[in-house]
Every structure is written in structure tokens, then in C-alpha cells.
Amino acid sequence: MSYYDIDAILTDNQKVPCTFNLTLPQLGYLDSTPGRPLPSGTKVDLPLWLAERLAVSQLTPSTSLITLDLPASLSPRVMNALKADPKSVDLRSLAANFYGLAERILELFEEEEVCDVLLESWRVRAAEVGDHAVSSGKGGGGVGGGEGVEFLRGLDEKERELFRSAHDSSKAMRVWMGEMKKR
Amino acid sequence: MALPLQAGLTPMEVAFLCEMEMVTVVPRQRLESLNLLSGPTPTLRPPHRAPLPLWLALLLKRQRRANILPPPWLLPSSLERILRHETETSPLAFSPPPPHPHPITSRISPTDHISPPFLPSSTADAPPDYLPYHWLELGEILLEAASDDVPEPDRVRGLLRDLREVRMSKMRGSVKGLEGEGGGVSKMTGVGAMEVSEGRGFILGVLDGLRKLGSSREVARREREEEEGGGEGSEDEEMEFE
């Protein structure tokens, strides 16, 4: 991930649920009670870049400022859906940078099972993406059609990037073969 | 990425490299030996066959000074056998590349490391039933520039298309079997240059995704190994791959 990678920046900007471990004065506006202190134990959605820093910083050796929770897009419900059929889940509606978020979260949490499920669903979905990338655009106007459109709409940013690169290389190949005809 | 250039070669660059392959021509006119960077070409005397680089053969072909003999693997019967091998004999693996012409023994010899561009794999005496490294681009180029020299060009063209489809779908399917943790990279023996160029973007993307998702686990494993120390660590590692 490079410093100027817009996808990395957008990934960092995704909200994750956090619980404050301290009562903080003047921060009540985070919980729509402006002007009041924020009581300890309040749940607030914070962007990942901020939450990560706050969760890692330690006030005393045993407590940190906030506690991170698993975001909704990586909840057990989603994991079960991915386990049942990776292709039918609309990842984009869960998080635009689903895999990017998952990578960052896996760095913070030790979630062996989530990691397994994600690896497997990335593999299965990637193979499907590759098939669509090559078959779309081949039949002229009719792109995919039917169930393909539904699946492609649910791709997250990383899968879209994969689709694009697979599609570009197969297109370059077709262009080259077309040029051979003209000569 | 600062540079808009993609990693790897474009199809046009692969085709350019392919023009260095040697093919067999049957000259129609005399031509004295030419001093090329790759060495002198043989003197061309009409009824005798001679090996020439593809680019020179194409030039002579366009000027109607020579005919190109298609390599034996490009004949319809051979392509059909390869296609049958791809679909029926080994529906998962790619058909093997041609055998190395110089026998490889335990004694190290300078011919061991000669690889496709410098091995004549597309001359008239190349072995049939094996697809060489530049099969797709060489086939396409010959079909376009010298279709009158290739027997049954339409059938050959159809067979090349079929082979490409079959092999590309194998390549895309191979990612399903990939392991997350540096384990099994699928077998790619026999894949041609053009297929590498076409599949690169996709395969690299998939592997990159797997690497990033598995990186946290990788870090954790390495830390555990360091804690446990050398000997025991390697045993644990093998068990995890199961």
C-alpha cells in the first residue's frame, strides 16, 4: 500500500465500532449530546485510522482509551453467509473496501476463523471474477447478462481492480489478434 | 503507481520476441549469406531447405522469395492430439512442453541451460504433439502471413482458438487450488509466452490478495517460531501446511 493510494486512504476512513473506557469532558457531541462529557462505556463509530491509534495507545499498562469491536461487515452473520456461498454475498453493500478493511482488522484481532473464511471466499470469488472478465465484452453489447450482473455489482474495490486487470489483458490480446488480421 | 506501465510484456512485445524463433524456409531464389548479429544466415539455394529467423522468413515470404514450412506441431492432426490431451488425458494440467533436444544427464554441460528462444522449436524437424513456448503467437503469425503454406488453415485456426480457450480456463481455474500461506503455487509447466502475458494481471492480483489477507497470520506464525526456536519451529510449520 503506497502513501498516495486512494483506496488505502478510503479504507482507513471506514468506520469501526469502538467503546470508550473513560469519561471524557466536552466530547459529548460525538454521541449527539453536545456540551456534555462523554460517559465511559459509550459506543461510537470512529474512522479506522483514529480508532487504531486510540486502541493501541495505553493509558495505564492494563487499560487503553477505547476498545475496538469487530465491524458489522465482519460479523459472524456475514462470515456464515460467506461460508455457505461466497458468490452470493454482496460485499460492496457491506463495505466498499471490504478486503482492505478485513486486512487491517486481521492485523489488530487474532481471528483465525475469519482469516480462513476470507481467504477461501477471495479464492472462489476471484476465479469467478476472472471468468466474467474474459467472457464480458466478447459478445459485443450484451455484457454478462442475468446472474452475472448481480454478482459483478457486489464486487468490492479490490475485486473490481482484479476484474479490470484481467479484462484489460484479455482485451489487449484480442486487439493484437485483430491487428494481425488487418495486416 | 507513478508509471502507467503494466508489469510484464504486452502481446505485441511477446510477438516481437517470437520473431527471433527459427523456422524452416524453402527458398525460391538464391540469396547469399547475410551477416546478422545472431550470426551468418545459410546461403539460400532454391530446392534446399534452410533455417532462418522468423522475421527474415516473413520478409522473404512477403516478397515471394520463399515459402515457410510450418512446424510439425502446427499440423491439424498434431493439434487435435494435443487438444485431446488437454481435454481428456489431463483435464487439469497443461500439456507438456517439448522435450529438451540435448539429453540432460548428471554431468553438467553447457547445453543444459539453453531455453526456448535459442532452441529451434518451430523448425520443420521440431517434434510434433508438443506446444513450444511461442506456440500461440507463432501459429497466429504464420496463419496471417503464410496461410497458403499451412495445410487446412481454417481448421488450424479453429484448433488454436480451442486450445487457447481450454488452457486459459485452466489457468483461471488454477487459482481455486492456491494455498494461502506460501504453500502450493499451481503447476504452470508448459504455459506459453502469450498465455503468461495474458494471465499475469489476473494471477498476480489473486496472489497479492491472498498474501495481504494472510499477512497477519504470517507475522503471527513467524513470531511464534522465533519464540520456540529453530528445531521445533520447523516441525510445527510442516504440520500447519496439512
Side-chain angles (χ1 to χ4, degrees):
Chain A
M1 266 195 215
S2 108
Y3 186 76
Y4 293 106
D5 185 354
I6 189 70
D7 286 323
I9 295 170
L10 288 173
T11 304
D12 268 358
N13 211 25
Q14 292 184 90
K15 299 276 173 71
V16 287
C18 310
T19 315
F20 277 88
N21 294 335
L22 277 181
T23 303
L24 294 167
Q26 298 299 321
L27 279 181
Y29 66 90
L30 286 175
D31 201 24
S32 60
T33 50
R36 301 256 199 97
L38 189 73
S40 132
T42 320
K43 280 190 189 297
V44 178
D45 279 353
L46 290 180
L48 184 59
W49 59 267
L50 180 60
E52 190 182 358
R53 284 280 144 239
L54 293 181
V56 170
S57 69
Q58 300 205 321
L59 297 176
T60 62
S62 57
T63 58
S64 60
L65 190 57
I66 60 170
T67 312
L68 269 180
D69 299 321
L70 268 185
S73 50
L74 293 171
S75 63
R77 198 176 52 81
V78 176
M79 286 302 119
N80 282 336
L82 279 176
K83 239 186 276 177
D85 184 8
K87 289 178 209 164
S88 65
V89 182
D90 184 352
L91 291 185
R92 199 168 186 78
S93 69
L94 294 169
N97 285 297
F98 180 81
Y99 287 108
L101 180 66
E103 277 161 27
R104 302 295 304 273
I105 293 295
L106 284 174
E107 280 170 21
L108 297 171
F109 290 88
E110 290 245 341
E111 292 278 353
E112 286 290 316
E113 202 198 340
V114 173
C115 188
D116 278 334
V117 173
L118 288 174
L119 283 172
E120 182 59 25
S121 74
W122 168 258
R123 260 197 292 269
V124 173
R125 288 172 67 98
E128 186 79 4
V129 169
D131 287 346
H132 279 295
V134 175
S135 63
S136 78
K138 206 177 244 178
V143 178
E147 81 281 32
V149 176
E150 201 59 36
F151 173 71
L152 293 179
R153 206 172 285 148
L155 298 183
D156 90 318
E157 275 308 319
K158 207 139 168 221
E159 287 171 327
R160 290 199 170 189
E161 203 179 293
L162 185 67
F163 180 90
R164 220 169 288 136
S165 68
H167 185 258
D168 283 351
S169 57
S170 101
K171 193 172 144 207
M173 187 73 190
R174 271 201 297 278
V175 168
W176 175 74
M177 281 186 160
E179 269 172 15
M180 293 288 302
K181 298 272 131 53
K182 272 179 233 150
R183 254 195 275 166
Chain B
M1 281 267 264
L3 277 170
L5 280 176
Q6 292 251 324
L9 299 174
T10 64
M12 225 183 285
E13 288 162 345
V14 175
F16 176 75
L17 289 180
C18 167
E19 296 194 355
M20 210 162 89
E21 285 279 311
M22 299 298 273
V23 292
T24 307
V25 299
V26 180
R28 292 179 178 185
Q29 288 181 2
R30 286 183 69 90
L31 182 70
E32 289 306 312
S33 172
L34 299 170
N35 264 320
L36 302 180
L37 274 180
S38 51
T41 61
T43 310
L44 300 185
R45 276 168 301 150
H48 297 286
R49 296 174 174 189
L52 283 185
L54 179 62
W55 62 268
L56 185 57
L58 288 175
L59 201 72
L60 295 179
K61 171 72 191 169
R62 282 198 200 105
Q63 297 173 349
R64 300 178 193 287
R65 289 166 196 253
N67 284 7
I68 301 177
L69 276 178
W73 54 263
L74 196 63
L75 300 179
S77 55
S78 163
L79 286 179
E80 259 168 17
R81 277 196 294 275
I82 299 170
L83 186 61
R84 213 176 308 129
H85 182 94
E86 292 272 355
T87 53
E88 286 162 27
T89 318
S90 66
L92 291 176
F94 296 94
S95 62
H100 205 274
H102 308 285
I104 293 182
T105 54
S106 51
R107 279 225 338 267
I108 298 165
S109 82
T111 56
D112 284 358
H113 298 289
I114 306 180
S115 60
F118 304 101
L119 280 177
S121 57
S122 302
T123 51
D125 50 359
D129 301 341
Y130 294 103
L131 292 178
Y133 188 55
H134 282 295
W135 66 277
L136 181 55
E137 48 279 36
L138 195 104
E140 289 286 321
I141 290 173
L142 281 190
L143 280 176
E144 289 316 313
S147 58
D148 50 333
D149 291 338
V150 180
E152 301 183 70
D154 289 331
R155 219 165 120 228
V156 170
R157 189 170 289 133
L159 283 167
L160 283 180
R161 287 290 139 83
D162 291 350
L163 272 172
R164 173 167 169 255
E165 291 283 318
V166 170
R167 289 164 65 99
M168 279 316 289
S169 81
K170 274 184 194 177
M171 201 180 228
R172 286 196 303 274
S174 68
V175 301
K176 277 184 201 155
L178 286 176
E179 294 291 326
E181 308 173 32
V185 171
S186 55
K187 210 169 172 215
M188 291 277 172
T189 316
V191 175
M194 204 53 113
E195 293 164 300
V196 171
S197 125
E198 194 180 352
R200 184 189 302 269
F202 176 66
I203 303 263
L204 282 189
V206 175
L207 283 176
D208 210 39
L210 284 179
R211 182 178 61 78
K212 281 184 180 159
L213 281 174
S215 64
S216 61
R217 180 180 285 188
E218 187 72 17
V219 170
R221 206 187 70 199
R222 230 172 267 157
E223 277 171 6
R224 208 163 47 228
E225 266 170 32
E226 270 174 28
E227 278 172 24
E228 284 169 10
E232 281 181 354
S234 62
E235 260 181 37
D236 272 14
E237 188 181 321
E238 274 173 17
M239 281 173 56
E240 273 169 35
F241 279 122
E242 297 296 315

